[in-house]
Amino acid sequence: RMKRPSNMNVKQPVNWTRRVVNYTMGIFFLATCLAHFPGLTRAPYPHYEFLKSMVPPWIPLPSSFHVLWTGAAEAMIGLSMITTHSCESAQWGFFLIVLFTPAHVHHYLTDLPLPDGTIASFSLHVSRWILQLVFLAVFAYLGWFSVDKPRLRRRSKTKDQ
């Protein structure tokens, strides 16, 4: 019969860096999901129409549907990152950021006006792409590379064994 190592039931120390990054990304996702739902704020919110215009025309179904489901997905991922700190929520966040890429490329190629009516400069597009890469890196870190693995100590061999 195999013996279970005595340190397997020991709680691992809290990874505070991971926890802070989870909270930060979760709050950011919850804040950005508000732009996807018209009428949630008292101020006139032109971002919903802007988000609808960012959906490429080759994507099936109405653009309003895509804006609403991505907003709901952002809300669920944000809540999950705050409450569970799970690797799976970070992996879903990574996947969602990848799904946003066609909208950002469409926005760049068609020079869609921003909610204030101005056209985005090239530097604004580049900064958005850099931000997306940072998000992908953070989600990859949280989802795959910062997983707390149990640390097993090797027992020293004695003459009795």
Side-chain angles (χ1 to χ4, degrees):
R1 192 170 167 202
M2 293 182 64
K3 282 189 169 184
R4 187 176 189 174
S6 62
N7 64 345
M8 282 295 285
N9 295 330
V10 176
K11 278 190 164 184
Q12 296 295 321
V14 175
N15 185 339
W16 287 104
T17 305
R18 179 183 169 80
R19 187 165 286 188
V20 167
V21 173
N22 263 305
Y23 280 123
T24 304
M25 294 299 285
I27 290 169
F28 180 79
F29 261 58
L30 286 175
T32 57
C33 85
L34 294 176
H36 292 254
F37 302 104
L40 286 182
T41 59
R42 292 180 188 216
Y45 216 65
H47 294 354
Y48 176 72
E49 293 299 323
F50 171 68
L51 291 173
K52 281 178 33 178
S53 70
M54 283 182 66
V55 176
W58 52 265
I59 294 181
L61 300 175
S63 59
S64 57
F65 169 76
H66 293 291
V67 171
L68 293 175
W69 83 257
T70 54
E74 282 182 354
M76 288 187 290
I77 291 169
L79 284 173
S80 176
M81 295 201 65
I82 291 172
T83 58
T84 66
H85 310 292
S86 70
C87 295
E88 290 83 11
S89 59
Q91 291 167 354
W92 279 108
F94 184 92
F95 180 66
L96 193 63
I97 294 292
V98 170
L99 284 179
F100 289 162
T101 303
H104 294 296
V105 171
H106 175 67
H107 181 215
Y108 170 70
L109 293 176
T110 57
D111 280 335
L112 296 171
L114 296 173
D116 64 359
T118 61
I119 300 295
S121 64
F122 180 73
S123 60
L124 179 67
H125 288 293
V126 169
S127 62
R128 177 186 284 161
W129 295 333
I130 291 171
L131 184 63
Q132 298 290 0
L133 289 174
V134 168
F135 284 166
L136 286 173
V138 168
F139 281 129
Y141 166 76
L142 292 174
W144 290 282
F145 300 111
S146 73
V147 179
D148 293 329
K149 297 177 181 85
R151 298 182 188 117
L152 298 177
R153 287 180 277 152
R154 292 183 182 255
R155 292 184 181 211
S156 60
K157 292 187 179 185
T158 61
K159 294 179 184 177
D160 304 348
Q161 294 177 339

